[in-house]
Amino acid sequence: MNPLNPQQAHPTGHVFWPAAAISGLSLALAAGLDLTGLLAILNDAITRIVSRGGAEPFPNPLPVWSTWLAAACFSLALALAILASHGTVQRLILWLSATVLVAAWAPVLSLAAHRPEIAGPWIATFWSGICSLVYAANHCMPSDQSTLSKS
């Protein structure tokens, strides 16, 4: 029970600062996996899947900064969207849609002769969504409060 509001079972949640923290920690997770070499292994596996067992060459390398910018944008945008949306079903749809969208980059990049290095953005997006769902489930979010007050 929330001591400030005995009828409210969860504490009041916020949107921007928790989303920024979730995004930052998701990026830290992806960076840590990159430092351990796990992202390279995952990227190699993705490359083998989308390019005939890895036999296709990729003459156009992606700049490293572009994958990390994509990871930052997707993890923050997803966290903001989930925390600002109403209801668990909508939040789950946002999370699943974002993870599928990032995963769908692999064949597109492969067709454009770019090595599909999407493991970092995918992990950051996936983890950002999981953390946002957990935060929203344990807090009374502003979008949930506005819906309750209309009833």
Side-chain angles (χ1 to χ4, degrees), residues 40-141:
I41 294 168
L42 292 173
N43 282 325
D44 288 341
I46 292 166
T47 300
R48 283 191 301 278
I49 291 169
V50 299
S51 69
R52 297 187 223 172
E56 299 296 320
F58 296 104
N60 303 323
L62 283 175
V64 174
W65 64 266
S66 67
T67 58
W68 289 106
L69 178 63
C73 290
F74 263 98
S75 65
L76 181 60
L78 180 61
L80 286 169
I82 287 175
L83 296 181
S85 68
H86 168 69
T88 305
V89 173
Q90 290 87 346
R91 292 174 181 139
L92 283 171
I93 289 171
L94 283 168
W95 175 60
L96 290 172
S97 299
T99 55
V100 168
L101 180 65
V102 174
W105 283 359
V108 173
L109 287 170
S110 180
L111 287 172
H114 291 287
R115 182 167 161 73
E117 296 190 3
I118 62 157
W122 191 85
I123 287 172
T125 303
F126 179 83
W127 192 249
S128 176
I130 293 277
C131 293
S132 298
L133 288 169
V134 169
Y135 181 87
N138 291 310
H139 290 80
C140 188
M141 299 307 293

Side-chain angles (χ1 to χ4, degrees), residues 1-12 137-140 145 148:
M1 290 296 259
N2 185 352
L4 300 177
N5 187 355
Q7 295 177 345
Q8 186 178 353
H10 296 293
T12 302
N138 291 310
H139 290 80
C140 188
Q145 292 174 352
L148 290 175

